């Protein structure tokens, strides 16, 4: 039986800070990511969830940021 080997996840806020990118712009980049891309949703007591990423998910985000920056100024560096 295959088991999930994820030992840590990182919130959108943490990834945005680490990559020096605006959270709202980063959310636009990750909106179409799937669990296979390293995105999971964390749910607490309320109705809202928080996106979180595995290490593979962070690599996927970096690739998407690079592609978007090459195409436009959608993700300027965080001030």
């Amino acid at each position: 039986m295959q088991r999930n080997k994820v030992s840590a996840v990182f919130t959108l806020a943490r990834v945005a800070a680490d990559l020096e990118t605006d959270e709202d712009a980063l959310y636009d980049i990750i909106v179409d990511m799937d669990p296979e891309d390293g995105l999971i949703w964390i749910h607490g007591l309320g109705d809202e969830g928080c996106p979180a990423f595995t290490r593979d998910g962070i690599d996927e985000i970096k690739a998407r940021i690079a592609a978007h920056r090459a195409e436009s100024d959608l993700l300027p560096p965080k001030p």
Side-chain angles (χ1 to χ4, degrees), residues 32-51:
D32 65 342
M33 286 179 67
D34 295 314
E36 296 81 17
D37 299 320
L39 168 69
I40 63 170
W41 285 88
I42 298 174
H43 299 276
L45 294 176
D47 291 335
E48 295 185 30
C50 172

Side-chain angles (χ1 to χ4, degrees), residues 19-37:
L19 299 179
E20 298 180 343
T21 302
D22 179 73
E23 284 183 54
D24 292 330
L26 186 57
Y27 188 85
D28 291 341
I29 295 295
I30 62 98
V31 72
D32 65 342
M33 286 179 67
D34 295 314
E36 296 81 17
D37 299 320

Side-chain angles (χ1 to χ4, degrees), residues 10-27 29-30 33 37-38 52-69 74-79:
F10 303 87
T11 64
L12 179 74
R14 169 68 186 265
V15 174
D18 288 350
L19 299 179
E20 298 180 343
T21 302
D22 179 73
E23 284 183 54
D24 292 330
L26 186 57
Y27 188 85
I29 295 295
I30 62 98
M33 286 179 67
D37 299 320
F53 309 92
T54 64
R55 293 184 195 284
D56 289 341
I58 295 171
D59 291 340
E60 175 69 19
I61 290 170
K62 289 177 184 177
R64 289 173 181 235
I65 288 173
H68 278 80
R69 284 195 175 141
L74 179 63
L75 283 171
K78 186 177 179 179

